[in-house]
Structures are given as structure tokens and as C-alpha cells.
Amino acid sequence: MPAEGHERRGVAVWDVLRDRPLHYLLSPWPLRCLAYVLSGAVLGYAVLLALTVLVLVGVTLSVFGVGLLILVATAALGVPVAIVERRRIRLVEPEPMADPHSLLSGVGFKGWFRARLEERATWRELGYAVTLGVLGTASGAGVALLLGFSVFLTAAPLLVWAAAPDTVTLLPGDPVGSPAEALPASAAGLVGLVLAGYAAGWLAGAQAKVARLLLSPRDEGLSTRVIELTRSRARLIDAFEAERRRIERDLHDGAQQQLVALSMTLGLAEMQVREENARARELLARARGEARLALEQLRRLVRDIHPQVLTDHGLAAAVTEVALRNPIPVTVDIDLPHRLPAPVETTAYFTVTEALANAGKHSGASHITITGRVRDDRLHLAVTDDGRGGADPDSGAGLRGLADRVAILRGRLTVVSPLGGPTELRMEVPCSG
């Protein structure tokens, strides 16, 4: 729960200021916030001075070429500043900040510098360094003035007592001659200390929030990984299709042609065998029949790998063709506005064939309905049978393999099969990458 509250409200010191403002004053928080703001002013002033010097020197020497190198090197000044800030922020933030930079090993300074300049985090850190130099210095100086003046007023009675019998001028034109006369100033100083404590808390929270905004890791690495995964998915689909076409071509042009030649050779041999060698003729006839059967099975296998009608005429025609060959009557209602991408058509086709095969083996159905529509640039395909139901999608590797293929396309495959039926297999796949 604290993590959620932290994320909802912002930084830890602001949570304390909002929830328990009185407790804040009596806790170590004011001292920690003052230390954070004042040290930020010192660091910011040093950073601002360094940036000013580097930019001026770089611009002055730019006519000689060396200045350009100095200006480029100035861009990396935010990196060491950010390292210090990620440690310094622990004064007001218990939750540490991770380093947004990629880990570099085995590279020299030149490689490290080039890699850092290519990272967006480096430029955000430079922006933070400039912000710290300007706003951090100004806000810290304001708190320091308020704190110093408040301490001076609070200690006014002691100062007047130490300076007696001389008078002390706390404010212009208002000399104070006794400690009692300095008590109102001391009260005002106490109020100033309270204000300085609260101001330091709010300013520390603001600086910490800016630090987390600019110095924390962002999802750029995740976005890069998502893009790379998307590209890998596309490469996987392309590689699968290329391998499928290679296998289909090898079967069609290689093994299938060899079986045709074998069948013809056996036929010629059967004709050449003399009539009296009946046993040899019988064996040749049997071998020829087996070669013809193997050829039919190979042609069916080639068709099942990727039917030509799917390539030539699209999903609706291919599903209609496979439905006509199915032993269970099938009603096909696929209405698509245009041809879908080849990976989508292929996945949808094999989803249908697997669903029909499962229905024929296990459902006891008397009728199957296949519907397909494109809505919101997504293909919605459903295969419904009126069988006994109770299908378990985890019981076979076929549906699991289809689910994996659908997942590659960033789609979803679901099976609804209550006992008593009906069984419905639904596939939803985006039609664009």
C-alpha cells in the first residue's frame, strides 16, 4: 500500500506534509529537506559555473575546431551530476533510483562516450543539470536567506544581551537596547524557521519529483524490446512461410515426380513380364498400386500443407473446398471485404481444418457452421458444431499449436465447449501488423 500511495501522490516528503503537517515539524524531515535543498544550491551553483565556463570556452575556441569538441563534451556533464543526484535524493526519498543507462563493458572511453551520447537519458540528465543550476541554485539561495534571517531574529535576545550596553539594530531604524525588547523579533524568527522548514519540504519534494522525472529509467528500453519482438515475430512468420513453400516445392517437384516415375516404370515392367510369370506380375501390380496410393497420400499432404485454392482465391474459397470434403455437413458463411494478409489466411485456414478434424473425431456432431467476418480491422472466425461438447483444448497438441500460431499474430484462440454442447472455437486475429 505505501507504494501505491507513493505513486498516487508523488514523493515521500509531500506525503508527510499532506498527511501529518504537525508531525513533519517534530520529525527529522525539516533537517533532511534543508540539507537536500541547500546542498542542491551548492551543487547547482557549481554545475551552472561549469556549464557557463565550458560553453564560453567552447564557443570562443570553435573557430579553431577544439571548441566543438569542448561543446560536445559538455553534453556529458549531466552524467556525473545525475550519479550524485541519485545518491543525494535518498535524503528525501527512501526509494532508490535506478540507473537508466545501459551497461557497457570492455569498451574504452571513446566507445563509452559515443554510447552515452546516443542515449536519450544522457540528454535528459543534461537538461536536469541545467535545471538544477538555475532553479536549484535560486530556490536554495532563497531558503538559505530565509533560514539565516530567521536564525538571526530568533537569536536576537542573545545578541542584544551580548552587545549590552550598546544597542543592536535588528531592522533599519529600529534599535533594540534590551533582551526583552528583542523578544518580538525572536518570535518572528521562530515563525520564519517554521516557514523555512515547510518551504524546504515543498521545494525538496519538487526537486525530487523533477529528478525522478528526468533521471529515472523510462520505458525506452522496453519499447525497443517490444519493437524487436515485433520484428522477430514478423521474421518468424516470414521464415515459416518460406520453409512451408520450400517443403511444398520439394514434395511437388521431388518426391511426387519420383513416385510418378516409379509408377510408370512398374507399369512398363508389368507389361514386359511374360504371361507365364504370374507371380511376378502379381507383385508388380501390387507395387504399382502401393505407389499410386503413396502418390495420392503425398498429393493430399501437399494440399494440406497449403492448398493452392487458398493462394489463388483466398480464405472463403479454401474453407468452402475443405467443407465439401468433410464427412459432416458444413455450412460456410464467410463474408470478407477483401483478401487478408497471407499469414492471417493461412492461420485461419488451418484453424478451420483442425476444428473440423476434431469435430469429426470426437464431437459426434451432425452439423457444423463456420462464420467469418472482419470487424475493426480484425478477423473474427468461429467454428461451431452441435456435438456432445466437453472438449478439452489442452488435451491435444493440435489446438495448442494453433493457439501458438494465433499468438504469433497477436491474436486469440478460445474454445467454449460445455457438456452437452455445442462446441465453439473462436479465433480473433488483427488483419494488419
Side-chain angles (χ1 to χ4, degrees):
M1 290 302 175
E4 292 178 1
H6 172 79
E7 182 179 356
R8 174 175 57 86
R9 292 189 170 185
V11 292
V13 62
W14 281 357
D15 292 347
V16 178
L17 282 169
R18 287 166 173 163
D19 295 339
R20 296 173 292 174
L22 294 179
H23 173 76
Y24 168 82
L25 283 179
L26 303 177
S27 69
W29 276 108
L31 294 178
R32 293 167 62 179
C33 292
L34 285 169
Y36 183 70
V37 172
L38 296 179
S39 63
V42 176
L43 178 61
Y45 180 75
V47 171
L48 184 61
L49 184 62
L51 283 172
T52 303
V53 171
L54 288 173
V55 171
L56 289 177
V57 172
V59 172
T60 303
L61 298 180
S62 60
V63 293
F64 303 104
V66 180
L68 296 178
L69 297 177
I70 296 176
L71 291 175
V72 172
T74 305
L77 180 63
V79 175
V81 174
I83 293 175
V84 175
E85 285 298 287
R86 292 189 192 97
R87 289 170 171 78
R88 202 172 62 86
I89 199 175
R90 297 301 298 276
L91 286 169
V92 293
E93 274 291 281
E95 197 173 318
M97 273 198 301
D99 190 341
H101 294 288
S102 58
L103 296 177
L104 299 176
S105 59
V107 297
F109 175 77
K110 188 176 180 181
W112 175 89
F113 188 74
R114 183 185 298 111
R116 288 293 178 256
L117 289 182
E118 292 175 353
E119 293 178 325
R120 294 183 181 179
T122 301
W123 299 97
R124 291 199 304 269
E125 290 170 347
L126 178 61
Y128 178 82
V130 175
T131 303
L132 179 66
V134 178
L135 299 181
T137 302
S139 60
V143 172
L145 288 174
L146 176 60
L147 179 64
F149 188 62
S150 299
V151 170
F152 171 73
L153 292 179
T154 303
L158 293 177
L159 295 175
V160 172
W161 175 78
D166 296 331
T167 59
V168 176
T169 301
L170 299 178
L171 296 175
D174 186 17
V176 178
S178 67
E181 295 178 4
L183 289 178
S186 182
L190 291 175
V191 174
L193 288 176
V194 172
L195 292 177
Y198 280 120
W202 288 107
L203 287 174
Q207 289 185 18
K209 192 164 187 177
V210 172
R212 284 205 172 274
L213 177 65
L214 296 178
L215 304 183
S216 294
R218 296 190 178 181
D219 60 351
E220 294 158 358
L222 178 60
S223 300
T224 302
R225 289 192 292 272
V226 169
I227 293 173
E228 182 57 32
L229 286 175
T230 303
R231 292 172 178 171
S232 298
R233 175 178 60 83
R235 289 194 296 268
L236 180 61
I237 295 173
D238 293 340
F240 174 81
E241 287 300 313
E243 184 66 13
R244 190 264 310 162
R245 288 191 295 268
R246 185 191 66 79
I247 294 174
E248 182 181 6
R249 183 177 61 254
D250 291 347
L251 290 176
H252 185 275
D253 298 337
Q256 183 171 305
Q257 297 302 323
Q258 291 176 0
L259 283 175
V260 171
L262 174 61
S263 180
M264 294 177 62
T265 303
L266 290 173
L268 293 174
E270 184 180 3
M271 294 174 60
Q272 295 296 325
V273 173
R274 291 178 298 179
E275 291 292 337
E276 60 270 12
N277 198 343
R279 179 58 179 169
R281 289 178 61 86
E282 180 182 351
L283 291 175
L284 288 172
R286 183 187 302 175
R288 188 180 180 190
E290 291 175 352
R292 187 182 302 110
L293 179 61
L295 181 60
E296 292 176 358
Q297 292 177 346
L298 183 60
R299 286 172 175 168
R300 190 180 304 115
L301 176 62
V302 171
R303 184 175 61 248
D304 290 341
I305 289 177
H306 193 84
Q308 190 64 36
V309 65
L310 181 62
T311 302
D312 295 340
H313 303 289
L315 179 63
V319 170
T320 301
E321 183 189 59
V322 76
L324 292 175
R325 301 196 310 265
N326 196 66
I328 302 175
V330 180
T331 299
V332 178
D333 180 18
I334 297 179
D335 186 10
L336 305 177
H338 50 74
R339 287 291 301 268
L340 304 179
V344 175
E345 288 188 338
T346 302
T347 300
Y349 174 80
F350 285 109
T351 299
V352 169
T353 57
E354 182 68 24
L356 293 179
N358 288 340
K361 293 177 183 177
H362 310 295
S363 71
S366 60
H367 188 267
I368 300 174
T369 302
I370 302 173
T371 60
R373 296 291 187 276
V374 173
R375 295 192 297 271
D376 299 327
D377 199 31
R378 299 177 72 88
L379 171 64
H380 297 262
L381 186 73
V383 181
T384 307
D385 67 64
D386 59 357
R388 64 178 67 95
D392 182 7
D394 295 328
S395 61
L399 285 179
R400 286 199 299 270
L402 285 177
D404 292 339
R405 292 185 62 170
V406 172
I408 290 176
L409 297 175
R410 295 186 296 120
R412 180 173 55 186
L413 185 72
T414 57
V415 178
V416 180
S417 183
L419 290 175
T423 296
E424 183 181 30
L425 184 147
R426 293 195 294 264
M427 186 193 79
E428 181 181 340
V429 176
C431 296
S432 59

